[in-house]
Amino acid sequence: EAQVTQNPRYLITVTGKKLTVTCSQNMNHEYMSWYRQDPGLGLRQIYYSMNVEVTDKGDVPEGYKVSRKEKRNFPLILESPSPNQTSLYFCASSSTSENIQYFGAGTRLSVL
Amino acid sequence: GENVEQHPSTLSVQEGDSAVIKCTYSDSASNYFPWYKQELGKRPQLIIDIRSNVGEKKDQRIAVTLNKTAKHFSLHITETQPEDSAVYFCAATPGRGNTGKLIFGQGTTLQVKP
């Protein structure tokens, strides 16, 4: 089954404790993205990747890191989380032939 | 920078009525405009999209129109049903071509009352 898998689904952490949210897709898509969703602000792109070792900043990259060492994986790293990063995070992938974003199930992060 | 504005933020209609959601974009080079539906607690899913070389596209009860000159596009849902209740997002690709970058609107919460 074609899917985008992100883990964990829920995470509660404390300020400053490094964390990683994993994302994996099995559709051989070239493009992968991370979004955060906040009430009234819609979906805002954090980082996106056009292929292995090619990443670029989206609209809200501050406080986040990403890496794309393999085509299927695109982890989101918060080196020193802060409460303003409490949000719902979505990973998505798409192919070069179409821009349809396939979203993961989401990760709800709370930073205390 | 590139921007997509979406209105209204909330919309309540009676079952069977039509619903219209409008979006404007800032980058005149944008050429792809998808609409996503997000049900409560679920992930966004594509419901319809349109490219800049087309003015209108229809899929059963939903349709999207695009006015490139005015830089706005709209989602039309006819004969609304309770299962249409969800948050709807418009989006636009900035610049030409497919780069993987997508700018979303703020979302519209649609409530269809039985």
Side-chain angles (χ1 to χ4, degrees), chain B residues 19-72:
Chain B
V20 180
I21 302 170
K22 299 182 179 182
C23 289
T24 59
Y25 60 97
S26 60
D27 186 351
S28 57
S30 294
N31 60 8
Y32 176 69
F33 308 92
W35 286 88
Y36 287 81
K37 175 184 180 182
Q38 185 181 29
E39 297 176 352
L40 190 62
K42 300 286 182 65
R43 71 195 76 188
Q45 290 192 298
L46 181 78
I47 54 172
I48 194 167
D49 56 11
I50 191 168
R51 299 196 179 273
S52 58
N53 58 349
V54 176
E56 184 174 356
K57 184 177 179 180
K58 191 173 181 181
D59 183 4
Q60 299 182 345
R61 295 187 299 108
I62 60 173
V64 57
T65 58
L66 172 65
N67 183 326
K68 286 176 57 181
T69 303
K71 291 191 287 186
H72 68 68

Side-chain angles (χ1 to χ4, degrees), chain A residues 35-54:
Chain A
Y35 297 89
R36 61 177 289 174
Q37 183 175 9
D38 302 289
L41 297 176
L43 290 154
R44 293 180 293 168
Q45 199 170 40
I46 302 170
Y47 269 95
Y48 64 105
S49 170
M50 297 174 68
N51 215 323
V52 175
E53 302 292 0
V54 181

Side-chain angles (χ1 to χ4, degrees), chain A residues 31 37 95-96 99 101 103, chain B residues 36 38 43 93 98 100-101:
Chain A
Y31 298 156
Q37 183 175 9
S95 68
T96 54
N99 206 350
Q101 305 264 319
F103 286 87
Chain B
Y36 287 81
Q38 185 181 29
R43 71 195 76 188
T93 54
N98 178 7
K101 188 168 172 64

